[in-house]
Amino acid sequence: MASLSFSSAVSSSTPFLRPSAFLLRPRSTRLPLVRAKIREIFMPALSSTMTEGKIVSWVKSEGDVLSKGEAVVVVESDKADMDVETFYDGILAAIVVNEGETAPVGAAIGILAETEGEIAEAKAKAAAQSSSAPAAPPPEVEKPAPVAPKAEAPAPVAAASPATPGKVVATPFAKKLAKQHKVDISELVGTGPFGRVTPEDVEKAAGITPAPKANVVVAAAPAALAASPPKAPASYPDIPGSKIVPFTTMQAAVSRNMLESLAVPTFRVGYPIATDALDALYKKVKSKGVTMTALLAKAAAMALVQHPVVNATCKDGKSFTYNSNVNIAVAVAMDDGLITPVLQDADKLDLYLLSKKWKELVEKARAKQLQPQEYNSGTFTLSNLGMFGVDRFDAILPPGQGAIMAVGASKPTVVADKEGFFTVKNQMLVNVTADHRIIYGADLAAFLQTFTKIVQNPESLTM
């Protein structure tokens, strides 16, 4: 199981005293007291995306004496379970967060005392930590709305001077209505500005009841309008027999990452690739422990070396980040989620060493023992559902990467050669999803052409 040390906060420290200080200090002056060293055990950040952790188990119990570097607790992050070690010698005085409970990164999960005499003080501090959980805020007392100053009555507006004799002032729509309902508009007294005849005047003269207008709420005073309450999430009817199961830590992390991925403008390019030569090579090296996933990862790494922009990343929306290492992350399905172990420097490893490394990573991933750098350092992701018989699919771009390749199953397909003759060849469909801010269609097309040449002439994979 992986391990990681946590940092602690010291409540006080012992001042350094010179020997001569005891001779020069007046007798009436008290010496500074040495206060207890009570340290908090914090929830560590085990990955760059971790916001909270779950206590899987406490390796040590309250009252146990701890030595520096000794494992104390097992924490489940969004990717793996890891042993957390202590930086200090001491006594585990109190456990703040119990097994099965979660705590945000940086929160105190335990209290460490230096001596037995400090255990009581440490337990009191732990009790204070537990009772300091954010309580419900007191109900806000509604403040009376500010009374608007009484507006002075407006001065009476002088009657508008009559319009030019013989000329009727009316709105265009009022004239249209008057003509439609055969109303003599010259006999009407307008109620609009400056005696203008309005549509309402015409309807009244024609005996038409105006349609009711939508209710308009008018503020009685110039007080600020209260903010409308946020809309409640859409509610769905309960289905009999259904059961709600909360996300695991890993599933919650996947959910957050998928929402983050939606903010990236992506596009997809598909490419059919003949795999007869690759299938023949796989049959030769399979007995030596080489998997098809390792072959595809090696081919992708070799192609990325020739097309560094596909291995690049856009982190701030303003610039390219070209990665000097080609680290292929490969998606692995877990019982409660998904994780992507990383084959670091895949372009520099020979095929057999790469396959051995991949087997080790999968075993550690299944056991939730991956180190952070073994799952968060990918520069390009490969998702191979072809092993399950899936012929085509689109993959979602992981946050912090420029492209991800989705590989379908290799199946016999009828194809036409250059001379128009039909033959049957094994083909797989590859779809690449890319960040369109830094990678364009021509970039992906060129990358896929290179990848296709490597797959169709795979001798270079074993060199």
Side-chain angles (χ1 to χ4, degrees), residues 1 57-61 64 70-74 83-84 92 99:
M1 184 171 291
S57 63
W58 281 93
V59 180
K60 299 295 183 180
S61 304
D64 288 352
E70 193 172 7
V72 180
V73 62
V74 180
D83 281 341
V84 178
L92 182 57
E99 294 181 0

Side-chain angles (χ1 to χ4, degrees), residues 145-151 218-226:
V147 179
K150 209 168 189 179
V218 181
L225 296 177

Side-chain angles (χ1 to χ4, degrees), residues 62 97 118 198 234 291 298:
E62 291 186 355
V97 182
E118 299 160 355
T198 65
T291 64
K298 179 66 176 178

Side-chain angles (χ1 to χ4, degrees), residues 319-400:
S319 61
F320 291 78
T321 299
Y322 283 95
N323 300 297
S324 57
N325 301 86
V326 178
N327 298 339
I328 306 296
V330 185
V332 174
M334 307 282 287
D335 292 337
D336 58 349
L338 178 74
I339 195 168
T340 53
V342 178
L343 289 164
Q344 299 181 2
D345 296 320
D347 59 314
K348 300 175 183 177
L349 299 177
D350 68 72
L351 181 61
Y352 303 103
L353 183 58
L354 188 73
S355 299
K356 181 181 178 182
K357 181 67 175 177
W358 176 240
K359 182 179 179 181
E360 294 173 355
L361 288 172
V362 171
E363 290 176 353
K364 293 178 71 174
R366 304 288 188 196
K368 292 187 175 181
Q369 295 179 354
L370 289 173
Q371 293 285 345
Q373 69 273 15
E374 292 176 326
Y375 58 75
N376 63 10
S377 58
T379 59
F380 181 90
T381 297
L382 173 67
S383 181
N384 179 18
L385 289 182
M387 65 180 72
F388 300 107
V390 176
D391 60 350
R392 68 187 66 193
F393 69 102
D394 289 329
I396 299 177
L397 181 68

Side-chain angles (χ1 to χ4, degrees), residues 33-34 45 53 61 110 130 195 202 209 226 283-284 286-287 311 323 329 362 410 421 429 436 438 441 444:
L33 298 177
V34 178
S61 304
S130 301
V202 176
T209 304
K283 289 180 180 179
K284 292 180 181 179
K286 183 179 179 180
S287 59
N311 194 52
N323 300 297
V362 171
S410 177
F421 293 101
L429 185 61
H436 211 324
I438 57 173
L444 275 193

